[in-house]
């Protein structure tokens, strides 16, 4: 499962634009990715805008009684979801260092993002 | 072309549901095939069988039901998003020990795998609401 970032196409690209708190977008996007992978689809993830905050380590579930997303992110590997991409502009905007991300993700920007979308049969945005 | 619709907006609070129903009618009128509408996030409220809007407003739940009856468009509701919001069919109500139910045929509770299959198998998956 070690595909080149811009090599073989996948079935589904899930774009995650929201951070772990405030809305359920991130959780629902990750749920969709896990379900697709469980059904044997090849899934890639792209974290954009506030979504890059999902990869910042050390976040708790918070006082609202909602489940955190870190445990789900930790399960991605078990589902063979190992093509993780993160928007460099989103990282810069939030001042997050790429090497601090958990799990690790490949930084891409600009045209590479367009190419990534084009090489997937289905793109779902959350 | 084979189309499918992903609807994320609740009826009446968001234009998404109204636009999606109009789009569904337009696609069929153009001679395309509309395979299914998948209701996710707040969109699951479109399946509430007890919805009783004022008579001078469009009845969206009936609108979806009519679309199914006239054109066989499947009405698929994400079960995880629905149960959380009290959108429950008779089987699930019994399973969870609840009286009454809020979803009935032709709406069917189904899983997210169906959404992925629709997206990959249809020529176009059109999303309403965000």
């Amino acid at each position: 499962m070690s595909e080149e970032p811009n090599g073989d196409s996948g079935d589904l690209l899930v774009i995650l634009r929201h951070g772990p708190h405030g809305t359920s977008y991130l959780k629902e996007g990750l749920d969709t990715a896990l379900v697709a992978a469980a059904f044997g689809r090849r899934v890639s993830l792209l974290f954009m805008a506030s979504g890059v905050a999902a990869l910042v380590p050390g976040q708790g579930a918070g006082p609202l009684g909602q489940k955190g997303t870190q445990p789900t992110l930790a399960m991605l590997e078990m589902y063979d979801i190992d093509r993780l991409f993160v928007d460099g502009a989103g990282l810069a905007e939030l001042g997050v260092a790429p090497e601090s991300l958990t799990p690790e993700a490949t930084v891409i920007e600009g045209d590479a993002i367009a190419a990534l979308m084009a090489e997937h049969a289905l793109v779902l945005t959350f | 072309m084979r189309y499918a619709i992903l609807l994320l907006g609740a009826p009446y609070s968001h234009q998404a549901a109204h636009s999606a129903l109009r789009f569904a009618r337009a696609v069929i009128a153009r001679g395309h095939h509309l395979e299914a509408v998948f209701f996710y996030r707040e969109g699951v409220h479109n399946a509430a069988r007890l919805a009783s809007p004022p008579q001078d407003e469009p009845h969206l739940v009936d609108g979806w039901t009519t679309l199914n009856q006239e054109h066989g468009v499947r009405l698929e509701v994400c079960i995880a998003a629905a149960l959380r919001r009290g959108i429950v069919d008779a089987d699930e109500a019994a399973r969870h020990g609840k009286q009454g139910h809020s979803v009935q045929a032709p709406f069917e509770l189904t899983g997210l795998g169906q959404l992925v299959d629709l997206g990959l198998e249809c020529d176009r998956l059109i999303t309403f609401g965000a």
Side-chain angles (χ1 to χ4, degrees):
Chain A
M1 288 301 293
S2 57
E3 292 164 357
E4 292 299 311
N6 288 314
D8 192 13
S9 64
D11 296 315
L12 170 64
L13 174 66
V14 175
I15 300 181
L16 302 156
R17 299 171 304 157
H18 294 80
H21 309 289
T23 70
S24 58
Y25 282 106
L26 176 63
K27 182 191 178 305
E28 290 173 346
L30 290 173
D31 284 349
T32 306
L34 293 183
V35 168
F39 280 95
R41 305 295 190 180
R42 291 173 304 155
V43 181
S44 311
L45 301 181
L46 170 60
F47 297 84
M48 295 188 79
S50 303
V52 305
L55 299 171
V56 174
Q59 301 187 49
L64 301 182
Q66 298 166 319
K67 289 179 195 161
T69 46
Q70 289 262 314
T72 311
L73 288 168
M75 287 193 328
L76 292 176
E77 201 177 358
M78 210 162 61
Y79 283 76
D80 287 334
I81 302 176
D82 55 6
R83 300 184 78 215
L84 271 58
F85 300 92
V86 60
D87 171 28
L91 287 176
E93 201 167 309
L94 295 185
V96 176
E99 56 275 14
S100 70
L101 302 178
T102 310
E104 288 177 19
T106 305
V107 179
I108 63 171
E109 284 185 83
D111 291 347
I113 292 177
L116 184 70
M117 291 180 186
E119 71 186 34
H120 287 80
L122 175 63
V123 178
L124 292 174
T125 306
F126 290 88
Chain B
M1 270 195 184
R2 287 177 70 207
Y3 279 82
I5 289 175
L6 168 60
L7 177 51
L8 305 175
Y12 307 107
S13 51
H14 201 296
Q15 182 186 331
H18 301 257
S19 296
L21 184 56
R22 284 168 55 83
F23 179 82
R25 293 267 172 210
V27 158
I28 293 166
R30 280 289 185 92
H32 298 295
H33 179 73
L34 180 58
E35 190 75 25
V37 181
F38 192 92
F39 302 89
Y40 192 30
R41 291 183 60 84
E42 309 306 325
V44 300
H45 291 292
N46 284 271
R49 73 179 182 94
L50 300 174
S52 309
Q55 286 190 353
D56 57 354
E57 288 182 30
H59 196 308
L60 284 169
V61 181
D62 286 356
W64 294 119
T65 301
T66 305
L67 190 73
N68 166 272
Q69 288 163 350
E70 292 178 355
H71 302 287
V73 178
R74 297 200 309 274
L75 305 175
E76 301 180 341
V77 185
C78 173
I79 188 166
L83 293 190
R84 277 193 182 91
R85 294 170 171 88
I87 303 295
V88 180
D89 65 10
D91 286 349
E92 291 299 323
R95 193 194 317 276
H96 293 274
K98 305 284 187 189
Q99 285 195 336
H101 61 280
S102 47
V103 178
Q104 63 189 12
F107 290 92
E108 46 186 322
L109 297 181
T110 182
L112 275 175
Q114 275 298 112
L115 169 62
V116 175
D117 285 349
L118 276 175
L120 289 170
E121 287 164 12
C122 292
D123 299 304
R124 295 283 186 275
L125 172 69
I126 312 293
T127 303
F128 288 85

